[in-house]
Amino acid sequence: MNSKTNLFGISNVRDLTKAAVVAALYIVITMVFAPLAFGPVQFRFSEGLNNLAVFNKRYVVAITLGCFISNMMSSLGPLDMVVGTGETLIALLTINIVTRFIKSLPLKLVASVLIGTFYMFIVAGEIAYLGSNAFWPTFWGAYLTTGIGEFVTMTIGAVLVYIINVKYDLSK
């Protein structure tokens, strides 16, 4: 079975290994920068890996798994394992599907950054729900701060992924 017929893009040991490495990398980067990775103001540098969803659907599974494991350490508790990971899955699926219709890699990466940033409203809603302040002011404040963090980290990730893809074809 080739990766085009496999739902998760993982059809052999090589694909599984690549997915495992990306999941582990997501976890390591998140833990190294843990003080910045959680909460209403967050710069989760591992989110830069979200741009890999442009190249192959196996990265959707890998990054979602890495996010789930990382969110086990979240100060937001078990809810973040569900909502935060769910947001990641939705964003990555959207990125993977939308960018299939874009030919230019730079434009795919721009779309990836914008889609990832947009979906941070889900995390902002989670933060506002768990907060003790008024929901809407907390939501908009959290959306602004998490959105800025997502935009910055995904932009950095897009540049790095583009450079890496010049040397190594990330779609294979």
Side-chain angles (χ1 to χ4, degrees):
M1 175 183 269
N2 66 35
S3 62
K4 292 186 190 249
T5 60
N6 185 301
L7 177 64
F8 301 112
I10 300 171
S11 61
N12 57 45
V13 174
R14 176 177 275 181
D15 290 338
L16 182 61
T17 302
K18 289 176 183 178
V21 167
V22 169
L25 191 57
Y26 187 100
I27 296 162
V28 168
I29 294 170
T30 302
M31 293 303 108
V32 166
F33 296 101
L36 300 172
F38 299 101
V41 179
Q42 56 181 258
F43 287 90
R44 189 179 284 199
F45 291 101
S46 51
E47 290 288 291
L49 295 172
N50 289 357
N51 293 291
L52 291 173
V54 164
F55 296 97
N56 193 297
K57 61 186 170 186
R58 78 173 150 257
Y59 299 123
V60 171
V61 175
I63 295 164
T64 301
L65 177 61
C67 179
F68 177 79
I69 293 169
S70 295
N71 284 347
M72 289 179 178
M73 314 319 168
S74 173
S75 59
L76 298 178
L79 185 63
D80 203 26
M81 292 167 58
V82 175
V83 176
T85 303
E87 180 275 333
T88 295
L89 178 60
I90 292 167
L92 293 174
L93 286 171
T94 304
I95 289 166
N96 183 267
I97 293 166
V98 167
T99 59
R100 290 179 192 177
F101 301 100
I102 302 172
K103 300 270 188 236
S104 163
L105 179 57
L107 289 179
K108 286 182 178 204
L109 293 170
V110 167
S112 177
V113 170
L114 295 176
I115 292 166
T117 301
F118 169 76
Y119 277 112
M120 290 307 287
F121 78 86
I122 296 171
V123 173
E126 173 189 13
I127 291 167
Y129 174 78
L130 291 173
S132 59
N133 298 324
F135 180 84
W136 287 112
T138 304
F139 170 81
W140 287 111
Y143 191 24
L144 177 68
T145 57
T146 59
I148 289 170
E150 187 77 357
F151 182 81
V152 168
T153 57
M154 282 196 66
T155 300
I156 293 167
V159 171
L160 293 174
V161 162
Y162 181 85
I163 292 167
I164 292 167
N165 188 63
V166 169
K167 179 120 173 113
Y168 305 100
D169 185 354
L170 296 172
S171 64
K172 293 184 179 185

